Amino acid sequence: MRIRATVAAVSGALALSALAVPAAHAATAGPNVTFSAMKVNGGKALSLGATTTAKVKATYTVTHPSTVSLAGVDTGPVLYRGTSAKDADTQVISDDPGTCTTVNSTTANCTATITLPASELYNSDAGTWKTGGLAVDKKTEAPTWQNDLGTLPVRRLAKLTADAAPEPVKKGRTLTVTGTLTRANWETGKYAGFGGQSVKLQFRKAGTTTYTTLKTVTSSSTGALKTTVTAGSDGYYRYSFAGTSTTSSVSATGDYVDVQ
């Protein structure tokens, strides 16, 4: 991942102050703490729009010997795309140190927030990120890093439209359903056509709640969709896209057609 700004600019106060790790302390032993139960965004994939700045909640547990006081330690989650959470070129650290609640003499449950601006990402950054933890001794500023605490899918937000015509239409006549599949371009701050994708045309009969797939259409190079069906009964037509490992799933709002 190539963050298009320094980590400090992306991650806010935490990287600038409490959890900043001066090079002079790189060889000093960090706090004797262990992270577990790390969950970012509730364990759900995060989809970012073209100009979205997401503030994502993280929860985690910190375990430490009874001789170590968390009052002298700042902790927080880390998102990273490299091999290690401590690689500054691929990390995003939480905005502020986590707020922790003591469970017992060796355990605390913590929450923190990570800010992730789409404007600081390249499109190639979409995919599965790793989660880690960082603890910093307040006195010595020595860090403890922990890798591989979980994953967070980060996806480009997709949009989809559907329009069935003519409306109304006589039963047995041909309906043309058009639409467009687009997705966020983080580098331009706009949405662009997503071509070559399989998109399902679905129908929901009036008075029912379930959509049925009629056929699959491939989006053009500009994301355009177009196909025809035979009008049978009143109902809603929509396109539905299952998503990819880098792009969110999306279903268009159903377009109602009156069949006479």
Side-chain angles (χ1 to χ4, degrees), residues 32 42 82 160 165-166 189 196 205 227:
N32 184 10
L160 189 56
K205 188 175 181 179
T227 191

Side-chain angles (χ1 to χ4, degrees), residues 23-175:
H25 298 275
T28 305
N32 184 10
V33 303
T34 302
F35 292 85
S36 63
M38 179 70 72
K39 186 174 289 187
V40 181
N41 200 40
K44 301 178 292 183
L46 176 65
S47 297
L48 294 177
T51 59
T52 300
T53 295
K55 290 187 176 293
V56 186
K57 181 180 179 181
T59 58
Y60 57 95
T61 297
V62 174
T63 303
H64 58 94
S66 58
T67 55
V68 173
S69 172
L70 282 189
V73 179
D74 282 328
T75 66
V78 182
L79 295 177
Y80 65 102
R81 289 277 281 160
T83 58
S84 174
K86 66 180 179 181
D87 185 351
D89 290 334
T90 67
Q91 71 181 197
V92 178
I93 307 174
S94 60
D95 298 12
D96 296 294
T99 300
C100 298
T101 301
T102 299
V103 176
N104 52 47
S105 61
T106 61
T107 308
N109 291 330
C110 308
T111 62
T113 300
I114 296 179
T115 298
L116 194 59
S119 61
E120 302 299 342
L121 302 178
Y122 286 85
N123 293 327
S124 58
D125 291 331
T128 300
W129 295 34
K130 299 175 184 178
T131 61
L134 170 60
V136 176
D137 187 297
K138 291 182 180 180
K139 183 176 180 180
T140 67
E141 298 183 318
T144 295
W145 300 90
Q146 189 170 336
N147 299 325
D148 299 320
L149 293 172
T151 59
L152 175 69
V154 179
R155 296 171 179 159
R156 296 162 65 180
L157 184 68
K159 293 185 176 183
L160 189 56
T161 63
D163 180 44
E167 302 176 55
V169 64
K170 290 185 177 181
K171 185 174 182 178
R173 294 291 181 87
T174 297
L175 268 174

Side-chain angles (χ1 to χ4, degrees), residues 162 164 175 177 200-215 229-230 232-240 251-259:
L175 268 174
V177 186
K200 294 178 180 180
L201 175 66
Q202 299 181 326
F203 175 72
R204 176 169 67 87
K205 188 175 181 179
T208 68
T209 59
T210 303
Y211 277 92
T212 300
T213 298
L214 303 178
K215 62 174 68 176
V229 292
T230 301
S233 57
D234 295 351
Y236 301 83
Y237 291 88
R238 75 175 187 184
Y239 282 112
S240 183
S251 293
T253 300
D255 185 27
Y256 181 76
V257 175
D258 177 17
V259 178

